[in-house]
Amino acid sequence: RQAPRRHSRGAHRGLRSFLVTFLLTMAVVLPCALGIGFYLKGRLPAQSPGPASSSRSTGASLSSSPAADSATPAPLTVDLSGLNSREAILLQRGGSTLGEQNADEPIYPASLTKMMTVLLAAENFDDLDAAVTLGDDLFGPLWAANASMAGFEPGETVTVRDLLYGALLPSGAECCTAIAVQLDGSESAFADRMNRRAEALGMQNTHFVNATGLQDSEHVSTVKDLAVLLDAALDNDTFREVFTAPRYSTRPTNLHPDGITVYSSAVSLLQDADLGRMTLLGGKTGFTDEAGLCLATLLEADGTEY
């Protein structure tokens, strides 16, 4: 039930090729790191630049800074300047940044926005099994914008939990709008809540206009801010459970007697990729014509997450 243009088969093929190439490159240059997660934004070669710069190349290198005390291991650093992505950042969960490239450059975050939407839902809904009916008026603007959808229909009654999984895994815009309206009465009021939370997290170069990431010239962020967001969001048990789920099946609803099953777009795209010693725990993809290809992932090796 995904929208045809923004998440077309061509876009998925391009995104899969981009992600597999990126992660395989990093698997080669970082075997000693034991596992890495990437918070990056890429762009198809044919696309015109958005609000960010346009440097691009194909490779990455590993180095260690000299240690002041020879008994202290030098911190691992990663040169990301060779990646086929203008903006990228790599960090250890809850720890240091290992490498970055144009991490403070303004970008359009596309569906990575939905990480904030789901975090706010996880933080503010008291009952994840509470019923929510998706109003008919939610769907018209999303259909007109060719937004990606989870597969729910106008007038369908689902649970808050269904909305969280539907928003993150298949990137369902109707789920995000329903969350916004349920919490604050309107998407614009919810955007104010998003911006307050972003400020509290220290996301200094982010401004949200909507809950979905649909294109708006004033809806901007940076890969550094998005990394801060995901790192903090993963501390929330509900968010982490949703973010790391490969699939989710709803209970029967009034319009889907057998329920529906949704799948993680990131896991689906990378399920056959050889990531070496890394294990993909979860991820969120994003794409619009203006934003290009976007990715936030969580990976692990030997108990350390990146």
Side-chain angles (χ1 to χ4, degrees):
R1 304 298 300 271
Q2 302 259 339
R5 182 170 70 85
R6 291 185 182 267
H7 289 273
S8 64
R9 292 180 179 177
H12 273 251
R13 286 195 298 268
L15 182 55
R16 178 183 174 85
S17 175
F18 169 75
L19 300 185
V20 170
T21 301
F22 181 91
L23 292 178
L24 285 177
T25 298
M26 300 305 287
V28 170
V29 301
L30 286 176
C32 63
L34 299 179
I36 44 181
F38 304 96
Y39 308 81
L40 64 98
K41 171 181 172 292
R43 192 176 297 272
L44 291 171
Q47 292 176 322
S48 59
S53 59
S54 60
S55 60
R56 181 192 326 249
S57 54
T58 57
S61 61
L62 176 70
S63 64
S64 294
S65 301
D69 183 349
S70 60
T72 303
L76 175 70
T77 59
V78 182
D79 179 9
L80 300 183
S81 63
L83 296 176
N84 186 26
S85 176
R86 290 198 311 274
E87 299 86 21
I89 190 166
L90 163 66
L91 54 148
Q92 183 174 321
R93 274 279 290 129
S96 59
T97 298
L98 303 182
E100 59 183 271
Q101 173 172 280
N102 299 321
D104 289 314
E105 287 295 316
I107 61 166
Y108 297 131
S111 288
L112 299 191
T113 299
K114 293 166 186 173
M115 297 190 297
M116 175 63 87
T117 300
V118 172
L119 173 61
L120 290 175
E123 290 177 338
N124 291 282
F125 280 110
D126 294 328
D127 183 5
L128 297 184
D129 293 315
V132 177
T133 299
L134 281 68
D136 294 359
D137 56 330
L138 298 183
F139 289 80
L142 300 178
W143 287 335
N146 283 328
S148 60
M149 310 290 273
F152 298 120
E153 299 179 12
E156 187 160 9
T157 299
V158 301
T159 67
V160 172
R161 193 185 311 274
D162 294 339
L163 295 178
L164 268 60
Y165 281 94
L168 271 192
L169 270 58
S171 209
E174 79 274 34
C175 301
C176 297
T177 305
I179 288 170
V181 172
Q182 191 70 16
L183 275 180
D184 290 310
S186 70
E187 191 169 12
S188 60
F190 184 75
D192 291 338
R193 182 193 292 268
M194 297 171 76
N195 287 320
R196 291 194 300 271
R197 191 69 176 95
E199 183 178 3
L201 288 173
M203 300 169 64
Q204 300 179 356
N205 298 301
T206 294
H207 182 257
F208 294 114
V209 174
N210 57 60
T212 61
L214 287 173
Q215 179 60 27
D216 188 297
S217 61
E218 296 184 1
H219 189 96
V220 296
S221 188
T222 67
V223 293
K224 180 175 289 185
D225 279 1
L226 292 170
V228 167
L229 167 61
L230 181 54
D231 197 35
L234 287 166
D235 289 333
N236 181 286
D237 291 340
T238 298
F239 180 95
R240 184 184 177 94
E241 180 180 335
V242 176
F243 189 81
T244 58
R247 69 185 65 82
Y248 171 77
S249 296
T250 73
R251 298 175 182 175
T253 74
N254 58 320
L255 297 181
H256 288 98
D258 297 323
I260 64 173
T261 299
V262 294
Y263 298 88
S264 166
S265 57
V267 172
S268 297
L269 287 166
L270 294 171
Q271 61 185 350
D272 297 325
D274 180 4
L275 303 182
R277 301 172 67 179
M278 300 179 292
T279 299
L280 177 70
L281 299 182
K284 181 74 191 77
T285 60
F287 174 80
T288 64
D289 292 338
E290 299 84 357
L293 301 170
C294 305
L295 171 69
T297 59
L298 172 68
L299 289 93
E300 179 271 338
D302 293 347
T304 302
E305 296 180 349
Y306 301 86

